[in-house]
Amino acid sequence: MNDNFENAGAENPFEPEVGSFQDVQSDQEGEVTKTGTTTVGLTTADGVVIATDMRASLGGRFVSNKDVQKVEQIHPTAALTLVGSVGGAQSFIETLRAEASLYETRRGEPMSIEALATLAGNFGRGGPFRAIHPILGGVDEDGSHVYSIDPAGGVVADDYTVTGSGMQVAYGTLEQYYEEGLSNEEAKKIAARAVQSAVERDTGSGNGVFLAEITDEGVEIQGHKDFDDVL
């Protein structure tokens, strides 16, 4: 066989072009800065609402930051939460945002939310993103979507979902108040109430709430130190 052909075949021209992962270095598990966290995502008649608390802790024992924005826009009409170690979650968001932007540049149209969720699951399964469990919420031509991305790369779609250390308390609030056809304004109050309930009982969550409102026109994120500003 021709040596030149063998060498040329080392790089398969038919493989998809996906950017490389950012190397995420970390210390021992107990020393990593974590978000602790309660994150909530709800589908609505208008789009999607995501709510998160604002606290980060060091090793789960010491509050290292009281003003962490745990939800970031990653797509023209989608946002993702930070859950797990801060470095891993930030790297995950940067990587997913870059791939979504690259897709839009190449295709001339935004990636569908389902495809974005599948990509996030693949990255979670195969990348160096320490123990993350984010929520992805977005709007596309097929409607409103909320996905939970588990640390093993599983992708689960639902009308509403919760992740993080305060999830058990927050789920109780959502089970009581969530219903189909909510407006974004109604959903913001319910999501904030769910986070507030978790903050009352979960030491890893606290210090206020960030709310992301997602529609087919874009993503708007606002922080509130006082829950009364929202409820």
Side-chain angles (χ1 to χ4, degrees):
M1 184 178 290
N2 188 297
D3 290 340
N4 291 334
F5 182 80
E6 287 184 349
N7 293 334
E11 295 184 3
N12 187 344
F14 301 107
E15 289 182 352
E17 295 183 33
V18 177
S20 61
F21 293 117
Q22 177 180 342
D23 187 23
V24 181
Q25 299 292 333
S26 61
D27 298 322
Q28 296 299 316
E29 181 70 23
E31 299 174 355
V32 173
T33 301
K34 298 183 177 182
T35 58
T37 300
T38 302
T39 66
V40 177
L42 300 81
T43 58
T44 74
D46 303 324
V48 171
V49 167
I50 293 175
T52 77
D53 73 296
M54 294 183 170
R55 176 175 294 176
S57 60
L58 186 62
R61 298 184 297 272
F62 178 78
V63 178
S64 59
N65 196 307
K66 299 180 180 180
D67 193 20
V68 179
Q69 182 175 325
K70 301 181 186 179
V71 56
E72 297 276 357
Q73 182 173 2
I74 59 166
H75 173 284
T77 57
L80 190 81
T81 63
L82 284 84
V83 182
S85 66
V86 172
Q90 289 175 336
S91 178
F92 185 82
I93 282 178
E94 290 170 3
T95 303
L96 197 58
R97 182 186 286 145
E99 292 300 332
S101 177
L102 185 61
Y103 179 98
E104 183 174 1
T105 299
R106 287 174 172 166
R107 304 290 183 90
E109 61 183 12
M111 182 182 289
S112 72
I113 306 303
E114 181 180 7
L116 189 62
T118 300
L119 183 63
N122 291 341
F123 283 176
R125 186 182 307 111
F129 308 108
R130 301 174 55 85
I132 59 170
H133 192 176
I135 293 172
L136 170 66
V139 178
D140 59 19
E141 60 183 11
D142 294 324
S144 305
H145 311 272
V146 165
Y147 292 92
S148 172
I149 316 295
D150 72 38
V155 178
V156 180
D158 212 333
D159 292 332
Y160 60 88
T161 191
V162 186
T163 65
S165 54
M167 65 184 297
Q168 291 178 319
V169 180
Y171 256 128
T173 301
L174 292 186
E175 293 286 358
Q176 181 177 0
Y177 292 106
Y178 180 84
E179 58 185 38
E180 292 185 8
L182 292 170
S183 67
N184 274 7
E185 289 302 315
E186 292 170 324
K188 284 193 289 186
K189 292 182 179 181
I190 293 172
R193 184 176 287 118
V195 172
Q196 183 185 41
S197 297
V199 164
E200 295 292 334
R201 292 289 179 178
D202 175 45
T203 57
S205 305
N207 304 107
V209 61
F210 268 101
L211 288 167
E213 181 178 1
I214 308 168
T215 67
D216 57 6
E217 296 181 354
V219 179
E220 182 178 349
I221 301 173
Q222 292 186 334
H224 305 273
K225 281 295 186 181
D226 192 337
F227 283 95
D228 289 339
D229 293 341
V230 185
L231 301 177

